[in-house]
Amino acid sequence: MSHTIGVVGAGTMGRGIVADLVLHGIHAVLVDLEEEVLDEARKEIQQIIRFSRMLKKNSLPIQQQPILDSIRFTTCLEDVRDCEFIIENVTENWAVKQAVYHQLDQICPPNVCFAVNTSCIPITKVAAATKRPDQVIGIHFMNPVFLKPTVEAIRGYYTSEETIAEARRFLALLGKEAILVEDYPGFVSNRISHLFMNEAVFVVMDQIARPEEVDRIFRECFGHPMGPLETADLIGLDTVLDSLGVLYDSYQDPKYRAAPLLRKMVDAGLLGRKTGKGFYSYAGEER
């Protein structure tokens, strides 16, 4: 049986999810507002497909073009009308997300479930923007998507058992399992990890250590695959800043205040890997 999944938002996570879908033989419709973003997404998905053979020893030989042919790149949200499942990855801005879900609710058949790939915005809040709150679930993919066997899944107040089962069936197609948690802003992973990354920025700002030294401590002393600042660069410093804003607004707790250095870097356009420079320089790397 052929499956077609709609992916809304062609940023870092949208690209990674689509690459993982097509590597598993699943057709995808990738939507974004700008053709330029979609062109960049096509190039990055090609890179992910190219490297997947080297990074996954059990993967099958890949021919890039036939796989890319199974992706529809479009600026028209209505093109997800015939998709069986929707994954939304737009920016961590409530006004933007709310508008997208109002449209999706009108476009998609009533049996289609919506998966919210958000860092911090509550799933219950998103679900309330639709007429199908029981069919909305959080699925927080981790980067790089095709290498991660597990996701954080979030049950909103109205999320039904049927929707949870449907999400698990979808994830099984990708060889992934879900750890199901309850719905509070930031959930488990980002409620903790964004404090971790933000405090690392404070350490650099206070000149206690350089980024290289901070990350080396967590890689070599704690065995983390990546340090907190390398992780922030990978996610995107703008996304980290937006997520901290959501956490601060949600909990009204000063521990979530963003480091001034983080704000300064975002204002300067130093967003990490996506722009070629953040806490580290990625000049010469293909993005």
Side-chain angles (χ1 to χ4, degrees):
M1 178 181 175
S2 176
H3 298 276
T4 302
I5 306 299
V7 179
V8 182
T12 299
M13 293 308 302
R15 298 169 192 186
I17 291 166
V18 167
D20 200 27
L21 289 170
V22 298
L23 284 168
H24 286 85
I26 301 169
H27 289 257
V29 178
L30 179 59
V31 186
D32 203 278
L33 291 173
E34 300 178 14
E35 288 284 0
E36 182 180 354
V37 173
L38 292 170
D39 289 340
E40 292 171 359
R42 182 182 281 103
K43 294 174 186 175
E44 187 168 338
I45 290 167
Q46 284 179 316
Q47 291 299 317
I48 295 170
I49 291 169
R50 181 182 303 167
F51 290 129
S52 66
R53 183 67 182 89
M54 293 184 289
L55 296 174
K56 294 188 78 172
K57 294 180 180 179
N58 61 345
S59 63
L60 297 173
I62 292 166
Q63 293 181 329
Q64 286 193 39
Q65 197 54 46
I67 287 184
L68 288 175
D69 288 345
S70 63
I71 307 169
R72 182 175 182 181
F73 296 88
T74 178
T75 57
C76 181
L77 189 60
E78 290 196 2
D79 287 339
V80 303
R81 183 180 302 277
D82 297 324
C83 293
E84 303 159 39
F85 195 84
I86 302 294
I87 305 169
E88 173 272 311
N89 311 275
V90 304
T91 184
E92 291 291 282
N93 178 298
W94 171 239
V96 174
K97 281 195 186 289
Q98 186 178 39
V100 166
Y101 279 97
H102 283 161
Q103 294 177 67
L104 286 173
D105 211 25
Q106 297 172 11
I107 292 167
C108 297
N111 64 312
V112 171
C113 296
F114 299 157
V116 190
N117 186 24
T118 178
S119 296
C120 294
I121 295 175
I123 305 308
T124 302
K125 184 173 184 177
V126 174
T130 76
K131 296 178 181 176
R132 61 185 87 190
D134 59 319
Q135 292 167 237
V136 178
I137 186 170
I139 299 182
H140 185 204
F141 291 88
M142 309 296 172
N143 199 10
V145 178
F146 78 100
L147 287 176
K148 302 294 184 178
T150 310
V151 302
E152 179 183 40
I154 305 99
R155 183 197 341 244
Y157 186 85
Y158 291 107
T159 305
S160 69
E161 291 299 323
E162 291 80 4
T163 297
I164 294 169
E166 177 66 16
R168 291 190 189 278
R169 282 192 292 270
F170 160 67
L171 290 167
L173 298 173
L174 302 179
K176 298 187 191 301
E177 295 184 0
I179 299 173
L180 187 66
V181 303
E182 297 301 321
D183 184 30
Y184 277 94
F187 324 119
V188 173
S189 61
N190 282 333
R191 189 168 171 180
I192 296 169
S193 67
H194 280 63
L195 282 173
F196 180 50
M197 290 183 283
N198 193 45
E199 195 61 30
V201 180
F202 273 113
V203 165
V204 172
M205 187 181 77
D206 293 342
Q207 300 183 343
I208 298 169
R210 293 177 292 118
E212 297 86 351
E213 294 162 341
V214 172
D215 286 334
R216 187 179 174 192
I217 286 169
F218 283 93
R219 287 197 315 272
E220 299 183 19
C221 299
F222 290 92
H224 292 195
M226 297 179 72
L229 300 173
E230 292 171 310
T231 303
D233 270 2
L234 179 64
I235 294 169
L237 302 190
D238 54 337
T239 300
V240 174
L241 181 61
D242 287 345
S243 297
L244 285 166
V246 172
L247 289 166
Y248 185 86
D249 291 343
S250 299
Y251 293 106
Q252 294 293 296
D253 191 326
K255 71 183 179 184
Y256 293 113
R257 74 199 188 287
L261 175 58
L262 179 62
R263 291 188 182 278
K264 183 178 181 178
M265 292 178 71
V266 171
D267 288 343
L270 306 176
L271 308 183
R273 286 184 176 273
K274 68 172 84 173
T275 58
K277 188 170 177 59
F279 286 98
Y280 300 93
S281 175
Y282 305 94
E285 289 191 11
E286 293 188 65
R287 302 193 303 277

